Amino acid sequence: DGGITQSPKYLFRKEGQNVTLSCEQNLNHDAMYWYRQDPGQGLRLIYYSQIVNDFQKGDIAEGYSVSREKKESFPLTVTSAQKNPTAFYLCASSMRGGLLYYGYTFGSGTRLTVV
Amino acid sequence: EDKVVQSPLSLVVHEGDTVTLNCSYEVTNFRSLLWYKQEKKAPTFLFMLTSSGIEKKSGRLSSILDKKELFSILNITATQTGDSAIYLCAVGSSGNTPLVFGKGTRLSVIA
């Protein structure tokens, strides 16, 4: 079955550590996105990528980094520069230029907690 | 800057009630408005509304888009406890720019 997989489901980070969240899709989608969700805040865009080896900052990119070396994969690194990383992180994918017809497919999310 | 505003932010109703969730937007080059339901983790797609499809219905859920007044509503009739969720509204503009989401409406349906 085609889908989008995020791992791990739960992640604990010590202060000062970098951690990487995985996002893999087998839908042959061109575009991939990372959103952060805090209670009462909706989804806020961190980074997105329309094609391999290219990505753009979203509204809250500070303290995060991404790479897009393969079409299927779009990992997100939460660096020590991100001062308040505790949140629920959602990855999504879509056909490029297909928002009009398809919207997004979402992963099940990773809940990151700083300890 | 593109903006999507949902209201109310939270709502508690009894089973069997009808609810209306609101979504207003300010977006340059509007293309589509989408509604998602988020129960625990991954949001799931409900409706997409565009210039060529301003009214959608699926079972007890329906949605309309008013492009002139720049808003959409999501109606749920005969609510059930399984309707309890966060309902997200998102707007897409032209080109390949990402969807812009509202803060969501948290709906709680009590028996």
Side-chain angles (χ1 to χ4, degrees), chain B residues 27-51:
Chain B
V27 175
T28 51
N29 300 316
F30 172 87
R31 293 289 296 280
S32 58
L33 185 145
L34 298 92
W35 285 97
Y36 288 88
K37 178 183 181 182
Q38 184 181 24
E39 291 182 80
K40 290 204 186 300
K41 295 185 178 177
T44 53
F45 174 79
L46 293 175
F47 298 119
M48 179 182 286
L49 301 148
T50 67
S51 300

PDB file of all heavy atoms in Angstrom, chain B residues 27-51:
ATOM      1  N   VAL B  27      -6.125  35.402   0.834  1.00  0.00           N
ATOM      2  CA  VAL B  27      -5.070  34.728   0.078  1.00  0.00           C
ATOM      3  C   VAL B  27      -4.980  35.365  -1.297  1.00  0.00           C
ATOM      4  O   VAL B  27      -6.000  35.587  -1.936  1.00  0.00           O
ATOM      5  CB  VAL B  27      -5.391  33.216  -0.071  1.00  0.00           C
ATOM      6  CG1 VAL B  27      -4.368  32.537  -0.942  1.00  0.00           C
ATOM      7  CG2 VAL B  27      -5.426  32.545   1.278  1.00  0.00           C
ATOM      8  N   THR B  28      -3.769  35.626  -1.736  1.00  0.00           N
ATOM      9  CA  THR B  28      -3.611  36.103  -3.109  1.00  0.00           C
ATOM     10  C   THR B  28      -3.683  34.903  -4.042  1.00  0.00           C
ATOM     11  O   THR B  28      -3.194  33.820  -3.712  1.00  0.00           O
ATOM     12  CB  THR B  28      -2.276  36.824  -3.289  1.00  0.00           C
ATOM     13  OG1 THR B  28      -1.226  35.983  -2.794  1.00  0.00           O
ATOM     14  CG2 THR B  28      -2.250  38.118  -2.519  1.00  0.00           C
ATOM     15  N   ASN B  29      -4.333  35.070  -5.155  1.00  0.00           N
ATOM     16  CA  ASN B  29      -4.426  34.008  -6.176  1.00  0.00           C
ATOM     17  C   ASN B  29      -5.016  32.713  -5.622  1.00  0.00           C
ATOM     18  O   ASN B  29      -4.441  31.632  -5.745  1.00  0.00           O
ATOM     19  CB  ASN B  29      -3.049  33.711  -6.789  1.00  0.00           C
ATOM     20  CG  ASN B  29      -2.469  34.934  -7.449  1.00  0.00           C
ATOM     21  OD1 ASN B  29      -3.159  35.651  -8.166  1.00  0.00           O
ATOM     22  ND2 ASN B  29      -1.199  35.184  -7.199  1.00  0.00           N
ATOM     23  N   PHE B  30      -6.172  32.828  -5.013  1.00  0.00           N
ATOM     24  CA  PHE B  30      -6.856  31.661  -4.439  1.00  0.00           C
ATOM     25  C   PHE B  30      -7.074  30.583  -5.494  1.00  0.00           C
ATOM     26  O   PHE B  30      -7.498  30.862  -6.619  1.00  0.00           O
ATOM     27  CB  PHE B  30      -8.200  32.115  -3.862  1.00  0.00           C
ATOM     28  CG  PHE B  30      -9.069  30.970  -3.416  1.00  0.00           C
ATOM     29  CD1 PHE B  30      -8.947  30.455  -2.140  1.00  0.00           C
ATOM     30  CD2 PHE B  30     -10.004  30.408  -4.277  1.00  0.00           C
ATOM     31  CE1 PHE B  30      -9.746  29.403  -1.723  1.00  0.00           C
ATOM     32  CE2 PHE B  30     -10.809  29.356  -3.869  1.00  0.00           C
ATOM     33  CZ  PHE B  30     -10.672  28.854  -2.586  1.00  0.00           C
ATOM     34  N   ARG B  31      -6.820  29.297  -5.091  1.00  0.00           N
ATOM     35  CA  ARG B  31      -7.110  28.170  -5.974  1.00  0.00           C
ATOM     36  C   ARG B  31      -8.089  27.191  -5.334  1.00  0.00           C
ATOM     37  O   ARG B  31      -8.986  26.687  -5.983  1.00  0.00           O
ATOM     38  CB  ARG B  31      -5.819  27.423  -6.342  1.00  0.00           C
ATOM     39  CG  ARG B  31      -4.854  28.189  -7.180  1.00  0.00           C
ATOM     40  CD  ARG B  31      -5.343  28.370  -8.594  1.00  0.00           C
ATOM     41  NE  ARG B  31      -5.484  27.132  -9.331  1.00  0.00           N
ATOM     42  CZ  ARG B  31      -4.486  26.483  -9.910  1.00  0.00           C
ATOM     43  NH1 ARG B  31      -3.262  26.943  -9.826  1.00  0.00           N
ATOM     44  NH2 ARG B  31      -4.707  25.378 -10.576  1.00  0.00           N
ATOM     45  N   SER B  32      -7.857  26.890  -4.019  1.00  0.00           N
ATOM     46  CA  SER B  32      -8.679  25.849  -3.403  1.00  0.00           C
ATOM     47  C   SER B  32      -8.722  26.030  -1.890  1.00  0.00           C
ATOM     48  O   SER B  32      -7.819  26.608  -1.299  1.00  0.00           O
ATOM     49  CB  SER B  32      -8.115  24.460  -3.727  1.00  0.00           C
ATOM     50  OG  SER B  32      -6.783  24.362  -3.282  1.00  0.00           O
ATOM     51  N   LEU B  33      -9.799  25.516  -1.300  1.00  0.00           N
ATOM     52  CA  LEU B  33      -9.940  25.487   0.160  1.00  0.00           C
ATOM     53  C   LEU B  33     -10.216  24.050   0.562  1.00  0.00           C
ATOM     54  O   LEU B  33     -11.055  23.377  -0.049  1.00  0.00           O
ATOM     55  CB  LEU B  33     -11.076  26.412   0.612  1.00  0.00           C
ATOM     56  CG  LEU B  33     -11.253  26.566   2.133  1.00  0.00           C
ATOM     57  CD1 LEU B  33     -11.687  27.991   2.477  1.00  0.00           C
ATOM     58  CD2 LEU B  33     -12.211  25.567   2.711  1.00  0.00           C
ATOM     59  N   LEU B  34      -9.504  23.583   1.563  1.00  0.00           N
ATOM     60  CA  LEU B  34      -9.611  22.179   1.973  1.00  0.00           C
ATOM     61  C   LEU B  34      -9.995  22.086   3.449  1.00  0.00           C
ATOM     62  O   LEU B  34      -9.585  22.908   4.267  1.00  0.00           O
ATOM     63  CB  LEU B  34      -8.281  21.454   1.768  1.00  0.00           C
ATOM     64  CG  LEU B  34      -7.755  21.377   0.334  1.00  0.00           C
ATOM     65  CD1 LEU B  34      -6.838  22.543   0.019  1.00  0.00           C
ATOM     66  CD2 LEU B  34      -7.022  20.060   0.101  1.00  0.00           C
ATOM     67  N   TRP B  35     -10.778  21.071   3.764  1.00  0.00           N
ATOM     68  CA  TRP B  35     -11.106  20.737   5.146  1.00  0.00           C
ATOM     69  C   TRP B  35     -10.515  19.375   5.480  1.00  0.00           C
ATOM     70  O   TRP B  35     -10.628  18.423   4.693  1.00  0.00           O
ATOM     71  CB  TRP B  35     -12.621  20.679   5.350  1.00  0.00           C
ATOM     72  CG  TRP B  35     -13.295  22.013   5.406  1.00  0.00           C
ATOM     73  CD1 TRP B  35     -13.933  22.663   4.381  1.00  0.00           C
ATOM     74  CD2 TRP B  35     -13.427  22.865   6.555  1.00  0.00           C
ATOM     75  NE1 TRP B  35     -14.443  23.867   4.819  1.00  0.00           N
ATOM     76  CE2 TRP B  35     -14.151  24.010   6.142  1.00  0.00           C
ATOM     77  CE3 TRP B  35     -13.006  22.780   7.885  1.00  0.00           C
ATOM     78  CZ2 TRP B  35     -14.469  25.053   7.027  1.00  0.00           C
ATOM     79  CZ3 TRP B  35     -13.313  23.808   8.749  1.00  0.00           C
ATOM     80  CH2 TRP B  35     -14.042  24.930   8.319  1.00  0.00           C
ATOM     81  N   TYR B  36      -9.885  19.295   6.671  1.00  0.00           N
ATOM     82  CA  TYR B  36      -9.330  18.053   7.180  1.00  0.00           C
ATOM     83  C   TYR B  36      -9.895  17.782   8.574  1.00  0.00           C
ATOM     84  O   TYR B  36     -10.197  18.706   9.324  1.00  0.00           O
ATOM     85  CB  TYR B  36      -7.804  18.126   7.302  1.00  0.00           C
ATOM     86  CG  TYR B  36      -7.054  18.116   6.000  1.00  0.00           C
ATOM     87  CD1 TYR B  36      -6.791  19.307   5.327  1.00  0.00           C
ATOM     88  CD2 TYR B  36      -6.578  16.926   5.448  1.00  0.00           C
ATOM     89  CE1 TYR B  36      -6.086  19.309   4.134  1.00  0.00           C
ATOM     90  CE2 TYR B  36      -5.870  16.924   4.257  1.00  0.00           C
ATOM     91  CZ  TYR B  36      -5.630  18.118   3.608  1.00  0.00           C
ATOM     92  OH  TYR B  36      -4.929  18.122   2.432  1.00  0.00           O
ATOM     93  N   LYS B  37      -9.957  16.489   8.923  1.00  0.00           N
ATOM     94  CA  LYS B  37     -10.339  16.058  10.274  1.00  0.00           C
ATOM     95  C   LYS B  37      -9.126  15.399  10.913  1.00  0.00           C
ATOM     96  O   LYS B  37      -8.503  14.522  10.302  1.00  0.00           O
ATOM     97  CB  LYS B  37     -11.496  15.053  10.186  1.00  0.00           C
ATOM     98  CG  LYS B  37     -11.932  14.495  11.532  1.00  0.00           C
ATOM     99  CD  LYS B  37     -13.041  13.457  11.345  1.00  0.00           C
ATOM    100  CE  LYS B  37     -13.511  12.913  12.686  1.00  0.00           C
ATOM    101  NZ  LYS B  37     -14.552  11.860  12.524  1.00  0.00           N
ATOM    102  N   GLN B  38      -8.788  15.833  12.137  1.00  0.00           N
ATOM    103  CA  GLN B  38      -7.645  15.249  12.833  1.00  0.00           C
ATOM    104  C   GLN B  38      -8.121  14.697  14.161  1.00  0.00           C
ATOM    105  O   GLN B  38      -8.469  15.449  15.071  1.00  0.00           O
ATOM    106  CB  GLN B  38      -6.547  16.297  13.042  1.00  0.00           C
ATOM    107  CG  GLN B  38      -5.281  15.735  13.669  1.00  0.00           C
ATOM    108  CD  GLN B  38      -4.222  16.787  13.897  1.00  0.00           C
ATOM    109  OE1 GLN B  38      -4.523  17.970  14.011  1.00  0.00           O
ATOM    110  NE2 GLN B  38      -2.968  16.372  13.956  1.00  0.00           N
ATOM    111  N   GLU B  39      -8.105  13.364  14.276  1.00  0.00           N
ATOM    112  CA  GLU B  39      -8.584  12.744  15.508  1.00  0.00           C
ATOM    113  C   GLU B  39      -7.458  12.561  16.502  1.00  0.00           C
ATOM    114  O   GLU B  39      -7.514  13.056  17.603  1.00  0.00           O
ATOM    115  CB  GLU B  39      -9.263  11.414  15.182  1.00  0.00           C
ATOM    116  CG  GLU B  39     -10.556  11.640  14.440  1.00  0.00           C
ATOM    117  CD  GLU B  39     -11.300  10.364  14.136  1.00  0.00           C
ATOM    118  OE1 GLU B  39     -11.975   9.841  15.038  1.00  0.00           O
ATOM    119  OE2 GLU B  39     -11.201   9.906  12.988  1.00  0.00           O
ATOM    120  N   LYS B  40      -6.441  11.822  16.133  1.00  0.00           N
ATOM    121  CA  LYS B  40      -5.326  11.672  17.064  1.00  0.00           C
ATOM    122  C   LYS B  40      -4.009  12.103  16.428  1.00  0.00           C
ATOM    123  O   LYS B  40      -3.224  12.804  17.033  1.00  0.00           O
ATOM    124  CB  LYS B  40      -5.231  10.224  17.528  1.00  0.00           C
ATOM    125  CG  LYS B  40      -6.360   9.808  18.441  1.00  0.00           C
ATOM    126  CD  LYS B  40      -5.967   8.657  19.323  1.00  0.00           C
ATOM    127  CE  LYS B  40      -7.133   8.122  20.145  1.00  0.00           C
ATOM    128  NZ  LYS B  40      -7.728   9.100  21.021  1.00  0.00           N
ATOM    129  N   LYS B  41      -3.774  11.672  15.228  1.00  0.00           N
ATOM    130  CA  LYS B  41      -2.469  11.934  14.629  1.00  0.00           C
ATOM    131  C   LYS B  41      -2.582  12.569  13.250  1.00  0.00           C
ATOM    132  O   LYS B  41      -2.619  13.779  13.122  1.00  0.00           O
ATOM    133  CB  LYS B  41      -1.668  10.645  14.599  1.00  0.00           C
ATOM    134  CG  LYS B  41      -1.345  10.158  16.005  1.00  0.00           C
ATOM    135  CD  LYS B  41      -0.457   8.951  16.012  1.00  0.00           C
ATOM    136  CE  LYS B  41      -0.146   8.554  17.458  1.00  0.00           C
ATOM    137  NZ  LYS B  41       0.675   7.338  17.531  1.00  0.00           N
ATOM    138  N   ALA B  42      -2.689  11.730  12.205  1.00  0.00           N
ATOM    139  CA  ALA B  42      -2.652  12.265  10.844  1.00  0.00           C
ATOM    140  C   ALA B  42      -3.991  12.895  10.474  1.00  0.00           C
ATOM    141  O   ALA B  42      -5.033  12.269  10.609  1.00  0.00           O
ATOM    142  CB  ALA B  42      -2.310  11.158   9.856  1.00  0.00           C
ATOM    143  N   PRO B  43      -3.988  14.142  10.004  1.00  0.00           N
ATOM    144  CA  PRO B  43      -5.230  14.715   9.464  1.00  0.00           C
ATOM    145  C   PRO B  43      -5.704  13.899   8.262  1.00  0.00           C
ATOM    146  O   PRO B  43      -4.885  13.450   7.449  1.00  0.00           O
ATOM    147  CB  PRO B  43      -4.810  16.119   9.028  1.00  0.00           C
ATOM    148  CG  PRO B  43      -3.590  16.432   9.844  1.00  0.00           C
ATOM    149  CD  PRO B  43      -2.889  15.114  10.008  1.00  0.00           C
ATOM    150  N   THR B  44      -7.007  13.724   8.167  1.00  0.00           N
ATOM    151  CA  THR B  44      -7.573  13.021   7.020  1.00  0.00           C
ATOM    152  C   THR B  44      -8.432  13.987   6.219  1.00  0.00           C
ATOM    153  O   THR B  44      -9.131  14.836   6.771  1.00  0.00           O
ATOM    154  CB  THR B  44      -8.414  11.817   7.457  1.00  0.00           C
ATOM    155  OG1 THR B  44      -9.394  12.250   8.412  1.00  0.00           O
ATOM    156  CG2 THR B  44      -7.553  10.755   8.100  1.00  0.00           C
ATOM    157  N   PHE B  45      -8.380  13.822   4.924  1.00  0.00           N
ATOM    158  CA  PHE B  45      -9.032  14.731   3.988  1.00  0.00           C
ATOM    159  C   PHE B  45     -10.548  14.587   4.043  1.00  0.00           C
ATOM    160  O   PHE B  45     -11.074  13.468   4.072  1.00  0.00           O
ATOM    161  CB  PHE B  45      -8.518  14.408   2.581  1.00  0.00           C
ATOM    162  CG  PHE B  45      -9.199  15.155   1.471  1.00  0.00           C
ATOM    163  CD1 PHE B  45      -8.862  16.458   1.192  1.00  0.00           C
ATOM    164  CD2 PHE B  45     -10.175  14.545   0.712  1.00  0.00           C
ATOM    165  CE1 PHE B  45      -9.482  17.146   0.164  1.00  0.00           C
ATOM    166  CE2 PHE B  45     -10.806  15.213  -0.322  1.00  0.00           C
ATOM    167  CZ  PHE B  45     -10.445  16.527  -0.590  1.00  0.00           C
ATOM    168  N   LEU B  46     -11.246  15.726   4.083  1.00  0.00           N
ATOM    169  CA  LEU B  46     -12.709  15.717   4.032  1.00  0.00           C
ATOM    170  C   LEU B  46     -13.207  16.247   2.687  1.00  0.00           C
ATOM    171  O   LEU B  46     -13.852  15.536   1.931  1.00  0.00           O
ATOM    172  CB  LEU B  46     -13.291  16.567   5.168  1.00  0.00           C
ATOM    173  CG  LEU B  46     -13.089  16.059   6.590  1.00  0.00           C
ATOM    174  CD1 LEU B  46     -13.623  17.076   7.588  1.00  0.00           C
ATOM    175  CD2 LEU B  46     -13.762  14.706   6.784  1.00  0.00           C
ATOM    176  N   PHE B  47     -12.925  17.512   2.409  1.00  0.00           N
ATOM    177  CA  PHE B  47     -13.430  18.152   1.200  1.00  0.00           C
ATOM    178  C   PHE B  47     -12.393  19.081   0.604  1.00  0.00           C
ATOM    179  O   PHE B  47     -11.576  19.641   1.317  1.00  0.00           O
ATOM    180  CB  PHE B  47     -14.667  19.034   1.521  1.00  0.00           C
ATOM    181  CG  PHE B  47     -15.841  18.304   2.066  1.00  0.00           C
ATOM    182  CD1 PHE B  47     -16.332  18.609   3.330  1.00  0.00           C
ATOM    183  CD2 PHE B  47     -16.499  17.338   1.321  1.00  0.00           C
ATOM    184  CE1 PHE B  47     -17.437  17.954   3.842  1.00  0.00           C
ATOM    185  CE2 PHE B  47     -17.604  16.675   1.822  1.00  0.00           C
ATOM    186  CZ  PHE B  47     -18.071  16.987   3.091  1.00  0.00           C
ATOM    187  N   MET B  48     -12.506  19.269  -0.719  1.00  0.00           N
ATOM    188  CA  MET B  48     -11.788  20.331  -1.403  1.00  0.00           C
ATOM    189  C   MET B  48     -12.802  21.147  -2.179  1.00  0.00           C
ATOM    190  O   MET B  48     -13.630  20.581  -2.905  1.00  0.00           O
ATOM    191  CB  MET B  48     -10.729  19.779  -2.348  1.00  0.00           C
ATOM    192  CG  MET B  48      -9.980  20.862  -3.092  1.00  0.00           C
ATOM    193  SD  MET B  48      -8.782  20.207  -4.250  1.00  0.00           S
ATOM    194  CE  MET B  48      -7.501  19.648  -3.155  1.00  0.00           C
ATOM    195  N   LEU B  49     -12.746  22.457  -2.026  1.00  0.00           N
ATOM    196  CA  LEU B  49     -13.671  23.362  -2.703  1.00  0.00           C
ATOM    197  C   LEU B  49     -12.871  24.292  -3.606  1.00  0.00           C
ATOM    198  O   LEU B  49     -11.848  24.837  -3.176  1.00  0.00           O
ATOM    199  CB  LEU B  49     -14.462  24.173  -1.676  1.00  0.00           C
ATOM    200  CG  LEU B  49     -15.273  23.319  -0.696  1.00  0.00           C
ATOM    201  CD1 LEU B  49     -15.370  23.969   0.663  1.00  0.00           C
ATOM    202  CD2 LEU B  49     -16.662  23.087  -1.260  1.00  0.00           C
ATOM    203  N   THR B  50     -13.327  24.461  -4.788  1.00  0.00           N
ATOM    204  CA  THR B  50     -12.655  25.343  -5.741  1.00  0.00           C
ATOM    205  C   THR B  50     -13.697  26.185  -6.459  1.00  0.00           C
ATOM    206  O   THR B  50     -14.891  26.076  -6.190  1.00  0.00           O
ATOM    207  CB  THR B  50     -11.867  24.534  -6.777  1.00  0.00           C
ATOM    208  OG1 THR B  50     -12.814  23.821  -7.593  1.00  0.00           O
ATOM    209  CG2 THR B  50     -10.931  23.551  -6.112  1.00  0.00           C
ATOM    210  N   SER B  51     -13.236  26.995  -7.380  1.00  0.00           N
ATOM    211  CA  SER B  51     -14.167  27.831  -8.144  1.00  0.00           C
ATOM    212  C   SER B  51     -15.193  26.992  -8.873  1.00  0.00           C
ATOM    213  O   SER B  51     -16.327  27.409  -9.082  1.00  0.00           O
ATOM    214  CB  SER B  51     -13.391  28.669  -9.165  1.00  0.00           C
ATOM    215  OG  SER B  51     -12.470  29.481  -8.509  1.00  0.00           O
TER     216      SER B  51
END
